[in-house]
Amino acid sequence: MNKLIKSSLTAIALLMSMNSFAADKKTIGITLQPYYSYVKAVVGDKAEILPLVDAGFNPHNYLPQPNDLKRLKEMDIIVVNGIGHDDFALKVIQAADRDDLIVIEANNDVPLLPAMGQSVGNGAVNPHTFVGLSTTIQKVYTIANELAKIDPDNSAEYRKNARDYAKQFRLMKRDAMLTLGDLDTAGMKVATTHNAYGYLLQEFGVDVAAVIEPAHGVEPSASQLQETIEKIKQSGIDVLFYELNMPNRYVDTIEKATGVQLYRFSHMTHGEYDGKKVELEMKENLATLVEAIKFAANKDQA
């Protein structure tokens, strides 16, 4: 009987300990798909991750919904892009009036590029830091460091996880560089449908000569499109990068008018939330970039 009582007490104590551990877990909110991958990589099973918005939304034109505010109330912490791509989330945070909510601005330590486009305002920055390799690494370190301050008991694990995750992207870049060998990208001229890929392209010495969309997420007018077509013809642009999973109705028009070679990059903001999303789609983007650089180099030699 004593053994049975002792066994029962041990089971109860273990259950209480498990419930206490679950209660101690923080709920970390995220605003965009890539940040789900970042936070998951850093915290593992030490925290719950809650997207502010259901999968499948378009951050270009999303308007805050009542459910967003409900989700926000469940969060202890929220990780934001904070420089233009998730303005909808900043409005929800402001409306919630949560003095206790900890907001981690992932881009705090990232050197930002200026925004490009015919209708971009003065001082605007390129918010697509999640498309770059070095910028991704820096943001993961920032997230890990901020979470380490909030949850010091797990700080060593957060920082180790961040280092391991960052190593994957360093190896991706190294492998891409080795694949390219001694190819010279100095003469490569590219255009992009919108201001999304500068952070990735600059790491390989590729400059963007033209951005088709006049501003973030805004399709060009007929006159702006014609102006771009003329610029592509006159400047000898080799490649046009456009966005996978987004309608770019004017891309076919540009291709027919100029003969420019088309390549698609993932924006990494579409589809289901997945911890492996950034890692997998970054590899695909790098493979696309390597192919485009080789095409441009061969064209120049010809």
Side-chain angles (χ1 to χ4, degrees):
M1 185 69 175
N2 287 339
K3 287 184 179 180
L4 181 60
I5 293 172
K6 186 175 180 181
S7 176
S8 297
L9 290 173
T10 300
I12 291 169
L14 181 60
L15 183 60
M16 290 177 65
S17 174
M18 290 173 65
N19 288 338
S20 174
F21 175 74
D24 288 338
K25 278 189 177 184
K26 301 290 186 185
T27 297
I28 304 174
I30 58 94
T31 60
L32 296 173
Q33 292 271 6
Y35 295 96
Y36 186 93
S37 295
Y38 301 162
V39 174
K40 183 62 178 176
V42 170
V43 303
D45 62 358
K46 299 297 183 185
E48 302 293 338
I49 306 172
L50 179 61
L52 181 65
V53 182
D54 289 331
F57 77 103
N58 180 358
H60 291 292
N61 55 21
Y62 182 78
L63 296 175
Q65 304 295 317
N67 279 342
D68 304 343
L69 202 56
K70 291 179 183 178
R71 288 192 183 97
L72 195 72
K73 290 178 180 178
E74 299 178 37
M75 300 174 188
D76 302 298
I77 305 159
I78 187 166
V79 178
V80 301
N81 190 54
I83 54 172
H85 210 282
D86 57 358
D87 286 345
F88 64 89
L90 305 185
K91 293 175 183 175
V92 174
I93 293 169
Q94 186 176 14
D97 195 23
R98 285 271 311 274
D99 292 337
D100 61 323
L101 181 68
I102 300 172
V103 179
I104 296 176
E105 298 198 11
N107 284 293
N108 260 354
D109 304 312
V110 174
L112 301 175
L113 294 174
M116 295 177 65
Q118 297 178 48
S119 303
V120 171
N122 291 332
V125 298
N126 185 335
H128 304 84
T129 53
F130 42 83
V131 182
L133 290 156
S134 298
T135 46
T136 288
I137 291 169
Q138 182 57 68
K139 286 190 295 181
V140 169
Y141 283 150
T142 296
I143 292 167
N145 288 336
E146 292 303 312
L147 289 177
K149 296 174 189 175
I150 299 164
D151 182 15
D153 290 344
N154 291 307
S155 60
E157 182 168 350
Y158 294 157
R159 290 191 169 106
K160 179 186 180 300
N161 290 346
R163 290 193 298 271
D164 291 344
Y165 192 61
K167 184 178 179 181
Q168 296 182 58
F169 295 96
R170 290 197 186 92
L171 291 176
M172 284 185 209
K173 183 174 180 179
R174 181 204 66 181
D175 292 346
M177 290 291 193
L178 289 174
T179 301
L180 292 170
D182 296 326
L183 288 180
D184 184 9
T185 61
M188 183 177 177
K189 295 180 180 179
V190 308
T192 65
T193 53
H194 75 290
N195 183 39
Y197 316 117
Y199 291 102
L200 176 61
L201 295 173
Q202 72 170 357
E203 298 192 56
F204 291 81
V206 178
D207 293 324
V208 178
V211 173
I212 311 302
E213 292 181 353
H216 184 61
V218 179
E219 287 196 6
S221 65
S223 61
Q224 289 168 333
L225 184 58
Q226 188 57 43
E227 184 179 335
T228 298
I229 287 171
E230 292 304 318
K231 184 172 183 178
I232 289 174
K233 288 179 177 178
Q234 292 169 10
S235 61
I237 287 173
D238 305 299
V239 167
L240 172 62
F241 291 112
Y242 68 108
E243 185 178 346
L244 186 68
N245 299 322
M246 284 290 285
N248 298 122
R249 291 171 294 181
Y250 51 84
V251 169
D252 290 341
T253 301
I254 295 172
E255 182 187 24
K256 290 175 182 176
T258 65
V260 69
Q261 187 76 9
L262 301 179
Y263 291 94
R264 294 188 299 179
F265 278 144
S266 169
H267 210 183
M268 292 184 272
T269 56
H270 302 281
E272 296 299 316
Y273 292 102
D274 183 350
K276 294 288 186 181
K277 186 176 188 67
V278 171
E279 175 189 348
L280 295 174
E281 296 191 9
M282 189 75 79
K283 285 181 181 177
E284 292 173 1
N285 280 354
L286 281 172
T288 298
L289 180 56
V290 167
E291 184 182 346
I293 289 174
K294 287 181 176 179
F295 165 81
N298 291 333
K299 182 180 176 184
D300 288 345
Q301 287 177 0

